[in-house]
Amino acid sequence: MAILDLDMARNSNSTAPPCHAHTAPASDQQRRLRQAECNKAGADADDPNHGHRPGAEEEEEEEEGEGEELLLKGVRHLCERRGITRLPARYVLPPSDRPAAPDHQRSSCPTIPVIDLARLRAPAERAAALAELDAACRDYGFFQVVGHGVGGRGMMMLDVARRFFDLPFGERARYMSPDIRAAVRYGTSFNQLNDGVLCWRDFLKLVCDDLDGVVPSWPDAPADLREVVSAYARSSRRLFRELMEAALEALGIGGPGAGEVLADCDAGSQMLMVNCFPACPEPDLTLGMPPHSDYGFLTILLQDEVNGLEVRHADRWVLVDPLPGSLVVNVGDHFEMYSNGRYKSVLHRVRVNSARSRISVASLHSLPPARVIGPAPELVDDVKNPRRYMDTDFATFIDYLSSAEGKHKSFLQTRRLLTS
């Protein structure tokens, strides 16, 4: 969704291809970024194809000539500068990876479960609501939450996100960086310097582990961004804590075990991925985000009224229609491992459309990076529930990304144990 800085080095699986052996060092990447910014005005004025649609050979030469600009400046800038009517080749997926035509038989599609937090908070209804939460995490790995109390802050968050992406490119470009570990980063695709096929997405990544320390480094435009985003981040963290407490209870984990995990949640990691998926001239040839699972414990997704999120369920892609006032929550790889496979971290992707831009904000939550994650002892026994996953930590995930393609749920697959 969730959507994972899925070039992400902190909370989720990247779908980027393996790093090329000759990737430029960070200093060279930064030099090229600065050069691309300096050349913007001249490139706009001197574009030899301005005003007509180039032929195949001309288009190929054009894309080769401006490849660095496409990689570094993002989809939003591409649309603004060229007013494109056809998808550039670098964004076209192989036929086998393209989204199929939307399923118009909507009545036959299963719906994502809805959890009402008001029922979880009511003693007389809590047991039934916990059973619904447990079923949603087991059967779907996704659910929508209502009654969460984040509504007003969520609307303000979407508004300030939209205004950020409406800023002139120069304002946004101040936060572009090739460093995937940067606490504040504006970028595009997953890893635009290495991806074979680019994603139709731009993003603003904001690490929120220590808000008091990081907020001063966040963008200062729009003027209310820091105040609005920090308030939303705190609301999301409170919701994450409440949902984790309920999920642990639904799993039957209490006492010291639950207390330790909840303490880690309080001290854990949080990252906001503010996403913009511009209107796309040929949406059936590309994706805003390819199939992936999220790396952490839970992801909380805020989205506008434009649909696009699809979840893999029962061997089909299910479109998640935005329910007014709801937030979408999904289980991450960490939680699947901790639950010993009872809860499912499922594949999801983002479609784009030709008519409207889409804004979403994913708040990715996990335990502290140094915390070793493994199945909860309460959920493992030698007879019915043998251990299904190896222990893991953040360093193991980073090592994996540096040597292999983090596609689909491939990292989670490497942590699975063979059981009889």
Side-chain angles (χ1 to χ4, degrees), residues 169-235:
F169 173 74
E171 285 288 320
R172 290 175 273 138
R174 291 166 54 197
Y175 304 94
M176 292 190 106
S177 167
D179 181 7
I180 63 175
R181 293 174 173 82
V184 181
R185 184 186 180 209
Y186 178 70
T188 187
S189 191
F190 276 70
N191 188 335
Q192 62 266 33
L193 293 173
N194 294 323
D195 287 356
V197 178
L198 301 179
C199 305
W200 198 257
R201 172 187 77 139
D202 287 356
F203 64 83
L204 174 65
K205 166 192 168 185
L206 300 171
V207 172
C208 305
D209 296 2
D210 173 20
L211 281 175
D212 292 337
V214 299
V215 167
S217 67
W218 288 0
D220 54 7
D224 56 343
L225 183 143
R226 294 176 180 177
E227 178 183 359
V228 169
V229 177
S230 58
Y232 179 76
R234 290 187 173 93
S235 295

Side-chain angles (χ1 to χ4, degrees), residues 2-14:
I3 304 185
L4 318 184
D5 184 353
L6 288 179
D7 42 323
M8 300 201 183
R10 181 173 282 270
N11 290 79
S12 61
N13 288 347
S14 170

Side-chain angles (χ1 to χ4, degrees), residues 228-249:
V228 169
V229 177
S230 58
Y232 179 76
R234 290 187 173 93
S235 295
S236 298
R237 182 175 284 272
R238 288 193 293 269
L239 178 58
F240 166 63
R241 176 58 153 76
E242 183 174 6
L243 290 171
M244 280 300 303
E245 185 175 1
L248 291 173
E249 186 176 345

Side-chain angles (χ1 to χ4, degrees), residues 16 43 60 171 179 227 236 245 255 264 284 303 321 326 393 418:
E60 183 176 352
E171 285 288 320
D179 181 7
E227 178 183 359
S236 298
E245 185 175 1
D264 281 337
D284 292 340
Q303 56 183 337
D321 277 327
S326 73
D393 57 15
L418 295 176

